Amino acid sequence: MIKDIFQQNENVHSNDKQLAVLREHFPACFKKDGSFDIELFKEAIVDKTNVVQEGYELKFLGKGYAKLLASTDTTTVVQPNEAHNSLQENVNSENIYISGDNLDGLKHLLKSYHRSVKCIYIDPPYNTGSDGFVYQDNFNYTKEILQEKLSVSEDEAQRILDITKRGSASHSAWLMFTYSRLLLAKDLLTDNGVVFISIDDNEQANLKLLCDDVFGEENFLGQIIHNKLNSKNDTINIQKNHDYVTCYQRKVNYNSASQITPSLESKASVTKEVFKEGDHFYIINDSITTRGDGGTLNNRRNLGYTVYYNPTTKDFVGVQDYDLELAKISNDEDEVYSDNVELLNKGYTKIRPPKVRGQLGAWTWELKNFNDCKDEILIKQNKNGYSVKKRTFIPSETISMEDNRYFTTYEYIKNVRSIAEFSTNEGTTQLSETLGVDGVFNNPKNINLIQYLIGLADCKHSIVLDFFSGSASTAHGVMQINAKDGGNRKFISVQLPEVLSADNTSQKVAYEFLQENSLPKTLDYIGIERIKRAAAKIEEEYPGKQLDLGFKHYVLVEPNQNTLDRLESFDKAGLLADTTVLNDFGKPTILTTWLNADGYGLTVQAEAIDLNGYIAYFINKHLYLIDAGFRLENMKALIQRYDTEGNFNPENLVLFGYSFPDWSINEMIEKNLRILNDSEKNLKINFSVRY
Ligand SMILES: C[S@@+](CC[C@H](N)C(=O)[O-])C[C@H]1O[C@@H](n2cnc3c(N)ncnc32)[C@H](O)[C@@H]1O
């Protein structure tokens, strides 16, 4: 499990991921020794593609290193917080909170949530110089290994190590940090999935180029300028009242079932009064008259007819009774229009398009359309004369009644604007009100901004991921928007458990808050506590509403040195099981890590099954044997299950190697599985041992 991963990681190079994709689709471009032949590749694609000779790309120190970090597997395990997860409000929850480094978090998530996330919102450190961003890591690469793996000079390898070992807040360090994470995050997105990244001027330009590299320039949806509505005073430079939200989609205009789906949708809902005519219900829309500068009769000369309306019979008709040539030069209604005396004599009154900015106006409907669709036209008298409006008939099921009046509420799609206004002070107030104390976390995002972005991605029943969770405003926003619109979105939040100190002025309030509430003094517990308190408030505001307001909590744990030593010294060919390794990790951790690694997700439970006194863990296609002490009588009980229980067909038998050192037991299992494979059930059972 971990030892296997250490061994795999040793053989990883920075471009392995990209080469694996090429190998899958262009096997003929690889030579016998596994090396890639770029000339063959060019030949393979040249017919359809213009191979661009002129190079253009974002280069920075450590770019290859970031790719290497994204290519290696995590050596952490996933420890469930069992006390928390078994509470009534959490036991069936599919929301997830992960305490750990997001590089590891994303790698774990990819094993089960690959291409499953519809919306990612992140608010990474902006690298302002005062936000505490410093890139540093503890991967134990030597200069020589980096030279070999990244194909870089000794000097470059040394400069990378200088950053990663001593820590740096340079642009290269920030890019290195962000690139590895975005490379991983991209593969979590569904094809029509969207990523929103908050950023400010410190790294905005770099982030744009970095995202072009990761997601492809053609998948850039745009950049929202977020007006923070703050009153920051900068007397020297241009005062900055905004930051940005950079938006990309995994594949723009992803074609699902031959239907082009819009990338982002800004939805708004509106409640309108409904009117009745006979058995039919309708709502009244806007007037069918032009408004803007382009809407004058001079500009729209075929749209200036007169509507003759009979107030007694309610009959009406549109009549073309104006001079097109005069409309070009005159602004005088009496000059341009000639009255239809016959209709006026019959009691009709004339209605002409209202003026637009002092000039003769026009209708928005052509005359033929107007006279053909009279049902959809509503003429009403008002204090200025008459208004001519469109009405829309609606089905009776959509109507509710209040005080003897009818109403309907519906959603409509608006264009997404590139400027959005959400006050940052409001974000601070939201957090203070939720936690009951001010100043626990600096600059939390306004949850209305987050709800707005989630709404754009139209993900009412999907996963929303934030791997820079901070004070958990995204989790809060997801619960809140679900409560409002009846959605069933799930959140996944990842936050580094930064250790807080009472001596650090910027952490003092958070530290004291955690102390007062008897919580661990790490930053992830601010987010955890916020989610709990926000959930309680939402429950109060929406009593009885079916909402997932719980969450499962997992901690990513790096095995300690003792465990690593034991893994190293374990004798695979020995006879004795090493139960200390099992105890070090804990069975729930091994099970959770494996279930997730095998694609079942983090929130499922395996069923404990009794095989004549030996407890194994079963889920769908997998059976896990974790404890030591598996014997022939347990194997017989297992075979009996395969033989007699129709729904019991796990195709993969997975053993925890440290509990199964005795090759004779493993041989016994393999032999019996072979017999089962040949049996009537036509089973194909794979057998693997994980270390
Ligand atoms: C700008 S804050 C996010 C604030 C958040 N949007 C909110 O409204 O509260 C960035 C957060 O990312 C966290 N962070 C930084 N590096 C991280 C890492 N490698 N893994 C997980 N979280 C990380 C920081 O601790 C910080 O809480």
Side-chain angles (χ1 to χ4, degrees):
M1 149 170 132
I2 291 300
K3 198 164 163 180
D4 300 332
I5 290 172
F6 273 121
Q7 278 162 4
Q8 281 163 29
N9 283 350
E10 275 175 23
N11 299 318
V12 170
H13 286 76
S14 63
N15 287 326
D16 279 0
K17 235 174 128 195
Q18 288 82 351
L19 285 174
V21 174
L22 288 172
R23 195 170 283 118
E24 193 188 329
H25 299 285
F26 300 91
C29 303
F30 284 82
K31 294 188 190 155
K32 214 171 168 191
D33 63 0
S35 59
F36 178 61
D37 188 329
I38 194 141
E39 293 308 321
L40 280 177
F41 179 64
K42 277 188 196 166
E43 273 173 35
I45 59 168
V46 84
D47 273 358
K48 298 191 186 76
T49 320
N50 250 340
V51 178
V52 179
Q53 300 292 344
E54 176 192 314
Y56 171 74
E57 65 169 316
L58 174 67
K59 287 195 170 162
F60 56 89
L61 177 70
K63 190 171 182 184
Y65 182 76
K67 280 191 194 165
L68 178 66
L69 295 191
S71 303
T72 54
D73 200 352
T74 171
T75 52
T76 58
V77 287
V78 187
Q79 186 180 72
N81 178 342
E82 288 198 280
H84 170 94
N85 295 355
S86 56
L87 293 175
Q88 200 197 342
E89 62 270 30
N90 304 323
V91 78
N92 293 318
S93 177
E94 287 175 47
N95 294 319
I96 294 170
Y97 189 94
I98 298 173
S99 298
D101 190 313
N102 50 19
L103 191 68
D104 296 307
L106 290 165
K107 289 176 183 177
H108 281 294
L109 288 172
L110 274 167
K111 297 178 186 192
S112 271
Y113 301 89
H114 184 255
R115 304 274 173 95
S116 304
V117 174
K118 179 70 204 294
C119 173
I120 297 179
Y121 169 73
I122 52 168
D123 177 18
Y126 285 2
N127 203 12
T128 57
S130 59
D131 64 357
F133 172 76
V134 177
Y135 181 73
Q136 197 166 10
D137 68 32
N138 53 8
F139 297 102
N140 285 323
Y141 292 112
T142 60
K143 197 164 54 181
E144 293 68 31
I145 290 179
L146 283 190
Q147 270 181 269
E148 190 260 317
K149 281 189 182 287
L150 309 180
S151 309
V152 293
S153 66
E154 187 182 347
D155 171 56
E156 197 170 333
Q158 184 56 54
R159 287 197 293 139
I160 293 169
L161 285 178
D162 287 346
I163 288 184
T164 60
K165 297 293 156 244
R166 279 193 234 137
S168 163
S170 64
H171 289 299
S172 285
W174 188 88
L175 283 164
M176 202 193 285
F177 169 75
T178 311
Y179 190 44
S180 51
R181 277 128 181 112
L182 289 182
L183 282 172
L184 294 165
K186 179 189 174 186
D187 285 341
L188 285 167
L189 284 175
T190 56
D191 271 349
N192 59 352
V194 183
V195 56
F196 299 106
I197 308 172
S198 279
I199 200 71
D200 78 359
D201 281 325
N202 286 289
E203 297 292 355
Q204 179 277 128
N206 286 331
L207 179 73
K208 170 69 177 59
L209 292 176
L210 193 72
C211 287
D212 284 347
D213 187 319
V214 175
F215 298 101
E217 205 175 339
E218 71 280 15
N219 294 317
F220 176 56
L221 297 180
Q223 188 140 266
I224 295 173
I225 292 162
H226 166 216
N227 179 354
K228 303 194 282 181
L229 301 172
N230 60 2
S231 53
K232 203 171 170 192
N233 202 5
D234 189 333
T235 49
I236 301 170
N237 304 302
I238 295 176
Q239 183 178 309
K240 290 188 184 112
N241 302 109
H242 70 277
D243 58 14
Y244 308 90
V245 181
T246 303
C247 318
Y248 281 79
Q249 188 164 27
R250 192 186 150 83
K251 281 190 190 161
V252 156
N253 281 342
Y254 163 69
N255 196 332
S256 73
S258 79
Q259 193 191 4
I260 306 288
T261 49
S263 304
L264 297 179
E265 285 185 357
S266 177
K267 289 212 184 96
S269 79
V270 63
T271 300
K272 279 205 158 197
E273 182 158 9
V274 175
F275 302 91
K276 201 170 178 210
E277 187 179 74
D279 290 337
H280 302 293
F281 294 93
Y282 64 88
I283 51 170
I284 304 173
N285 308 89
D286 287 342
S287 299
I288 61 156
T289 48
T290 52
R291 269 177 226 143
D293 279 339
T296 59
L297 183 58
N298 190 12
N299 283 327
R300 303 179 163 216
R301 265 174 260 135
N302 57 337
L303 291 172
Y305 44 93
T306 303
V307 175
Y308 286 89
Y309 174 65
N310 188 327
T312 319
T313 62
K314 313 275 187 238
D315 194 22
F316 63 89
V317 62
V319 177
Q320 164 58 285
D321 61 352
Y322 69 101
D323 188 317
L324 282 170
E325 287 307 308
L326 274 175
K328 283 188 202 167
I329 47 171
S330 173
N331 204 20
D332 181 346
E333 190 172 296
D334 292 335
E335 206 172 53
V336 173
Y337 285 88
S338 52
D339 290 348
N340 187 317
V341 182
E342 196 188 332
L343 285 173
L344 292 174
N345 286 342
K346 283 187 186 165
Y348 281 78
T349 184
K350 55 188 183 192
I351 310 170
R352 295 206 169 116
K355 288 203 164 174
V356 174
R357 318 223 164 150
Q359 305 221 23
L360 291 183
W363 304 107
T364 53
W365 286 24
E366 291 193 3
L367 178 61
K368 179 167 183 337
N369 196 14
F370 180 87
N371 282 331
D372 285 351
C373 306
K374 284 188 187 162
D375 255 12
E376 291 176 41
I377 296 290
L378 190 77
I379 300 183
K380 287 243 174 212
Q381 188 156 23
N382 59 29
K383 59 180 185 326
N384 301 320
Y386 290 93
S387 69
V388 183
K389 294 191 170 181
K390 175 180 160 45
R391 64 173 168 178
T392 308
F393 289 93
I394 56 165
S396 54
E397 314 80 79
T398 60
I399 296 166
S400 60
M401 217 174 159
E402 217 178 296
D403 298 335
N404 282 330
R405 288 163 71 199
Y406 301 105
F407 292 94
T408 187
T409 300
Y410 60 94
E411 269 189 346
Y412 68 100
I413 295 174
K414 298 194 301 184
N415 291 339
V416 179
R417 300 294 169 107
S418 62
I419 299 180
E421 295 187 344
F422 293 97
S423 143
T424 38
N425 289 344
E426 198 179 333
T428 303
T429 312
Q430 289 159 351
L431 180 61
S432 304
E433 282 177 357
T434 310
L435 296 182
V437 48
D438 290 340
V440 167
F441 191 89
N442 284 338
N443 305 319
K445 284 290 178 285
N446 184 333
I447 64 168
N448 298 328
L449 164 70
I450 290 163
Q451 292 180 77
Y452 170 71
L453 297 174
I454 292 172
L456 296 186
D458 184 37
C459 45
K460 235 174 164 177
H461 300 281
S462 44
I463 300 172
V464 179
L465 166 69
D466 179 351
F467 51 93
F468 287 98
S469 169
S471 69
S473 28
T474 301
H476 190 166
V478 169
M479 293 190 294
Q480 184 78 47
I481 190 173
N482 280 343
K484 281 200 256 174
D485 71 6
N488 186 28
R489 304 165 186 88
K490 305 294 173 193
F491 66 78
I492 302 181
S493 304
V494 187
Q495 172 57 41
L496 198 63
E498 283 181 47
V499 178
L500 303 176
S501 152
D503 301 330
N504 182 329
T505 39
S506 67
Q507 298 176 348
K508 194 169 185 295
V509 183
Y511 184 94
E512 284 167 0
F513 171 81
L514 294 171
Q515 174 130 315
E516 270 164 33
N517 289 284
S518 310
L519 293 168
K521 316 292 181 304
T522 47
L523 190 50
D524 48 337
Y525 274 87
I526 296 292
I528 289 176
E529 195 55 20
R530 178 192 194 156
I531 301 174
K532 288 186 191 173
R533 295 188 187 202
K537 278 196 173 184
I538 292 171
E539 198 153 29
E540 244 174 66
E541 281 169 35
Y542 297 85
K545 193 155 183 174
Q546 282 292 320
L547 292 167
D548 184 354
L549 295 174
F551 64 97
K552 296 260 168 54
H553 178 211
Y554 302 93
V555 183
L556 306 184
V557 182
E558 194 78 57
N560 63 33
Q561 195 54 49
N562 275 346
T563 311
L564 291 176
D565 290 346
R566 273 199 274 272
L567 301 186
E568 197 49 46
S569 61
F570 178 72
D571 180 5
K572 275 191 191 176
L575 280 180
L576 291 179
D578 185 347
T579 51
T580 51
V581 178
L582 175 55
N583 293 340
D584 279 356
F585 286 117
K587 209 173 354 175
T589 299
I590 294 169
L591 253 182
T592 308
T593 309
W594 280 3
L595 283 167
N596 179 61
D598 292 327
Y600 295 106
L602 281 166
T603 55
V604 291
Q605 291 274 1
E607 183 192 347
I609 58 164
D610 189 340
L611 302 173
N612 197 7
Y614 181 92
I615 304 296
Y617 297 87
F618 166 55
I619 185 163
N620 201 3
K621 293 188 173 165
H622 283 79
L623 185 73
Y624 301 113
L625 308 184
I626 298 177
D627 286 299
F630 189 82
R631 318 228 175 286
L632 189 58
E633 62 266 29
N634 311 116
M635 189 71 214
K636 283 183 183 160
L638 177 59
I639 291 172
Q640 202 187 5
R641 271 206 180 229
Y642 270 113
D643 281 345
T644 56
E645 282 190 29
N647 292 335
F648 185 83
N649 295 308
E651 291 165 16
N652 303 288
L653 198 63
V654 185
L655 274 55
F656 189 56
Y658 306 96
S659 301
F660 287 80
D662 184 348
W663 59 270
S664 62
I665 297 279
N666 294 2
E667 217 174 52
M668 177 274 284
I669 299 174
E670 273 195 276
K671 196 171 121 203
N672 280 287
L673 288 181
R674 273 199 298 276
I675 297 170
L676 263 177
N677 281 348
D678 295 338
S679 75
E680 279 169 24
K681 248 183 160 182
N682 204 7
L683 294 167
K684 207 170 167 353
I685 305 167
N686 308 307
F687 170 76
S688 60
V689 186
R690 292 181 185 167
Y691 290 96

